[in-house]
Amino acid sequence: MRLRSALVLPAAAAALLLAVPQAGAAATGSARPAAPKPAKCADRATVVRAHLAADPRLVHISVTNLSPRTCTVDRIPTVVFGDLDGAALPVPAGDSGPYPVGAGRTVYAAVRTIAEVTDPEARRVDSISVSADPARFGRSFTARELGAGDAVLVWEPVTTWWQLSQAAADRQVS
């Protein structure tokens, strides 16, 4: 008999725990479901733009999310110069990762193509390619489309991470 009562007590306690409503956790907000992460922006949902800044060492780039939902681009734009190897390095240094862009919103970056326009080691390219995601093709801009004349001067280029304003991007490479 003693053995049987020892088994009945834990079983009764378990039954009581299972019968208690779990609404207490939801009422305090501690059991909120995680918000879904935004999907990557589709190519057709974004517009990439680029133009030479007033400072001839800088190119301003932007990406606009045309979709009705927040989507993500890579936090570091990919900028490649003509047929040269490599891409502009990010400042600050960092790894790729998702960057959310709200529906109808635009984010900005600045690319410093060269530190000194009189640098004798400057290379000249006739175009740059910009992508908001390294897994996508992006868009190419000729030097003329950028407002740079026949060539874009480049030597040790750097790019900012996406910023909420062009002024914030410019401060990163100043």
Side-chain angles (χ1 to χ4, degrees):
M1 183 84 161
R2 196 163 232 201
L3 181 62
R4 187 167 188 228
S5 64
L7 293 176
V8 170
L9 185 58
L16 281 173
L17 286 175
L18 291 174
V20 173
Q22 298 298 315
T28 63
S30 62
R32 289 185 188 158
K37 292 184 180 182
K40 279 189 174 188
C41 296
D43 283 337
R44 68 185 180 285
T46 59
V47 173
V48 177
R49 294 181 181 91
H51 66 276
L52 193 65
D55 180 339
R57 301 171 304 155
L58 299 180
V59 173
H60 287 161
I61 61 176
S62 65
V63 64
T64 301
N65 174 5
L66 302 176
S67 77
R69 293 191 175 98
T70 296
C71 60
T72 64
V73 295
D74 195 88
R75 78 178 75 171
I76 304 167
T78 302
V79 183
V80 179
F81 295 84
D83 59 356
L84 300 178
D85 288 340
L89 297 175
V91 290
D95 295 327
S96 292
Y99 185 87
V101 182
R105 303 297 302 242
T106 300
V107 292
Y108 306 87
V111 181
R112 187 178 63 224
T113 64
I114 192 165
E116 265 313 311
V117 292
T118 58
D119 189 334
E121 295 189 54
R123 305 252 180 140
R124 288 165 169 68
V125 296
D126 60 0
S127 67
I128 68 167
S129 296
V130 179
S131 177
D133 187 319
R136 309 269 165 95
F137 289 111
R139 180 170 171 207
S140 290
F141 300 88
T142 66
R144 287 197 191 286
E145 288 174 313
L146 293 170
D150 292 335
V152 175
L153 298 176
V154 60
W155 188 254
E156 297 180 351
V158 295
T159 184
T160 65
W161 295 21
W162 293 113
Q163 304 290 318
L164 297 178
S165 72
Q166 192 63 68
D170 287 351
R171 284 190 295 274
Q172 296 289 312
V173 290
S174 297

